[in-house]
């Protein structure tokens, strides 16, 4: 059985779920947050140490302002209401992506990271304004500036995910089979599951079904 240390999720399908059930994309984002809570609980139950959630991509700025504002309000309220409890549960929060938000949100994100930085049960990496290509470009720039050799190890060390083991398992909900600029380097050997269900409809059983499947896979890493 494969060990499972790190699960990454592209939480896709909120907008479609919202339109179908409430005639509002934003209602889908709100509902999607409930799935986030469920999956965090289930991740802990499964004793998984790292959970990376793709919440907002560098390309998502192309969306209507109204939707973007709604998403960041949702995030702000989530952190204000839930960070203390996450902290009590010994969960560490880390933000991936560049924090170029309102001063208020930047501060809230920094404080949430700082507050939980010593926690050890589960690390949640929240990818916000994250794009894998821009992460790689920044890493190459740092390597170039410091005049160090371009090597796999040095690239790893200069990514925002330094000190985080690579994902073993990637789940993308929402019935779309693409990576959308998410962890392109880090997912080189991940097992990938594309789920038909939209993120708000995804639940603990779906998550556990995928984990059981994942554990049975023969992971070769080039060997036989
Ligand atoms: C959530 O799903 C992902 C975010 C960018 C917040 P979407 O909002 O992309 O939902 P669909 O794919 O349009 O249904
Ligand atoms: C990927 O979903 C980004 C997040 C889940 C945050 P998108 O809905 O933005 O992806 P595309 O545009 O359909 O590829
Ligand atoms: Mg989408």
């Amino acid at each position: 059985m494969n060990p499972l240390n790190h699960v990454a999720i592209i939480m896709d399908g909120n907008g479609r779920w919202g339109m179908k059930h409430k005639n509002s994309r934003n209602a889908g984002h709100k509902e999607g947050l409930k799935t986030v809570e469920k999956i965090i609980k289930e991740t802990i139950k499964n004793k998984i140490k790292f959970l990376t959630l793709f919440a907002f991509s560098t390309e998502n700025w192309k969306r209507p302002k109204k939707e973007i504002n709604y998403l960041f309000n949702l995030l702000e309220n989530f952190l204000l209401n839930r960070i203390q409890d996450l902290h009590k549960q010994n969960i560490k929060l880390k933000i991936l992506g560049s924090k170029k938000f309102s001063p208020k949100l930047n501060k809230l994100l920094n404080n949430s990271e700082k507050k939980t930085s010593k926690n050890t049960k589960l690390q949640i990496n929240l990818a916000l304004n994250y794009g894998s290509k821009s992460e790689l470009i920044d890493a190459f720039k740092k390597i170039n500036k410091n005049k160090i050799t371009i090597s796999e190890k040095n690239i790893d060390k200069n990514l925002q995910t330094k000190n985080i083991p690579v994902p073993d398992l990637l789940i993308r909900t929402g019935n779309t089979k693409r990576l959308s600029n998410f962890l392109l380097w880090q997912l080189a050997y991940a097992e990938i599951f594309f789920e038909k269900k939209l993120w708000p409809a995804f639940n603990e059983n779906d998550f556990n079904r995928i984990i059981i499947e994942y554990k049975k896979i023969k992971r070769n890493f080039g060997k036989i």
Side-chain angles (χ1 to χ4, degrees):
M1 286 244 274
N2 295 317
L4 182 53
N5 196 35
H6 185 173
V7 179
I9 307 181
I10 302 175
M11 309 183 289
D12 195 25
N14 287 350
R16 280 165 284 162
W17 188 96
M19 285 310 290
K20 190 171 167 212
H21 295 274
K22 317 233 168 183
N23 201 27
S24 142
R25 289 185 53 86
N26 286 345
H29 292 309
K30 191 172 171 202
E31 194 71 19
L33 201 51
K34 294 185 191 162
T35 308
V36 171
E37 296 270 10
K38 285 184 204 163
I39 296 307
I40 292 174
K41 268 198 201 138
E42 214 52 30
T43 304
I44 294 171
K45 274 196 196 158
N46 279 286
K47 301 194 168 61
I48 297 162
K49 299 302 273 184
F50 295 88
L51 174 67
T52 300
L53 301 172
F54 200 9
F56 195 87
S57 74
T58 44
E59 290 72 27
N60 288 145
W61 294 110
K62 295 174 194 158
R63 295 188 179 201
K65 220 171 161 155
K66 204 177 131 222
E67 179 165 339
I68 296 173
N69 287 341
Y70 187 87
L71 274 167
F72 285 108
N73 266 323
L74 208 59
L75 172 70
E76 201 171 303
N77 286 325
F78 173 78
L79 287 176
L80 286 171
N81 295 326
R82 300 285 292 113
I83 195 68
Q84 182 55 27
D85 181 54
L86 295 177
H87 180 49
K88 274 207 305 213
Q89 291 185 67
N90 199 12
I91 295 173
K92 172 175 174 174
L93 182 72
K94 158 115 183 111
I95 306 298
L96 300 178
S98 35
K99 288 192 203 91
K100 287 181 186 151
F101 312 110
S102 68
K104 193 176 161 213
L105 181 57
N106 285 339
K107 198 171 157 202
L108 182 59
L109 292 169
N110 285 330
N111 288 344
S112 303
E113 282 186 299
K114 224 192 210 160
K115 185 185 178 84
T116 61
S117 66
K118 302 257 161 33
N119 292 343
T120 54
K121 188 172 203 105
L122 164 70
Q123 176 168 334
I124 299 177
N125 306 306
L126 194 61
L128 273 183
N129 189 20
Y130 172 85
S132 186
K133 288 190 177 180
S134 102
E135 180 192 28
L136 282 163
I137 290 167
D138 287 347
F140 297 147
K141 281 186 183 162
K142 275 192 258 169
I143 287 175
N144 194 32
K145 200 172 146 208
N146 297 323
K147 298 193 169 55
I148 50 178
T149 331
I150 295 183
S151 66
E152 195 171 321
K153 213 172 172 184
N154 284 336
I155 292 171
D156 280 335
K157 276 203 275 187
N158 283 282
L159 291 171
Q160 292 171 26
T161 50
K162 63 166 186 266
N163 305 325
I164 301 171
V166 293
D168 301 296
L169 168 61
L170 171 76
I171 301 170
R172 181 179 185 136
T173 59
N175 201 20
T176 306
K177 298 185 179 74
R178 56 178 172 250
L179 294 179
S180 304
N181 199 14
F182 188 49
L183 300 173
L184 302 177
W185 172 272
Q186 296 89 336
L187 291 171
Y189 267 106
E191 303 301 332
I192 303 181
F193 285 72
F194 292 110
E195 258 292 313
K196 287 211 167 101
K197 280 195 184 178
L198 305 172
W199 179 247
F202 190 73
N203 62 34
E204 297 89 340
N205 294 340
D206 301 314
F207 189 57
N208 284 317
R209 168 180 41 84
I210 291 173
I211 291 173
I212 290 167
E213 278 300 303
Y214 158 83
K215 288 194 170 166
K216 292 191 286 203
I217 294 171
K218 185 167 172 282
R219 302 189 76 189
N220 288 348
F221 300 102
K223 294 178 276 186
I224 53 166

